[in-house]
Amino acid sequence: MEPILVSACMAGVPCRYDGRAKTDPAAVRLVAEGRGVVVCPEGAGGMPTPRPAAEIVGGDGADVLDGRARVVDATGADCTEEFVAGARAALAAAEQSGARRAVLMARSPSCGCGQVYDGTFGGALRPGDGVTAALLRRAGIEVVRSPEEL
Ligand code: SF4
């Protein structure tokens, strides 16, 4: 059975910045079937729950990995190191489980794929990946926003 990396908040874990989950029944099913490998990169990188919302300032997740952008929370604190550490932990979980595909929560500064908030905390989106999605893609892992896209 093919292992699939799954954002923990989609699998029902209340690990989002606001202390809630964003449960997707299809993601829960992946876990129940024994295929889902659950990971919360922000938690794995040392961020507490709940925590202030964070956005990528100055680019997207790929830019963060290359040192051209930072992850900053709503209080102005820089949490780039934690987000990069969490991305590395997610990649390690994929490698250990053999997962080559991942279902990741949309628009998150970690898990978002294809679209993230633009760093102004005004609700606007920009094209790009979160830090974890960018690192997984660099490792050749396919990332999607919904189990239906698998
Ligand atoms: Fe969900 Fe990913 Fe944010 Fe964790 S880091 S709460 S798994 S979107």
Side-chain angles (χ1 to χ4, degrees):
M1 207 183 292
E2 179 197 355
I4 308 278
L5 205 68
V6 177
S7 288
C9 57
M10 295 178 75
V13 179
C15 55
R16 295 182 77 218
Y17 72 96
D18 58 5
R20 302 172 73 170
K22 187 89 173 176
T23 307
D24 179 323
V28 173
R29 228 170 10 252
L30 281 178
V31 177
E33 290 166 2
R35 300 169 68 197
V37 178
V38 171
V39 65
C40 174
E42 289 171 30
M47 298 296 288
T49 301
R51 55 191 172 276
E55 295 193 8
I56 299 170
V57 176
D60 66 1
D63 294 315
V64 172
L65 294 173
D66 291 338
R68 290 190 297 267
R70 313 289 297 166
V71 185
V72 177
D73 76 18
T75 73
D78 188 313
C79 33
T80 305
E81 258 180 47
E82 289 86 344
F83 276 62
V84 171
R88 291 195 180 121
L91 177 57
E95 287 172 346
Q96 278 158 21
S97 65
R100 302 300 303 157
R101 297 195 287 174
V103 178
L104 299 181
M105 183 67 209
R107 299 188 293 273
S108 153
S110 293
C111 294
C113 47
Q115 252 187 348
V116 287
Y117 288 105
D118 71 352
T120 62
F121 293 89
L125 294 164
R126 55 157 289 156
D129 291 328
V131 182
T132 292
L135 188 66
L136 294 177
R137 274 198 218 272
R138 285 187 179 180
I141 293 169
E142 182 188 348
V143 297
V144 299
R145 280 173 276 193
S146 160
E148 276 79 37
E149 294 175 49
L150 290 171

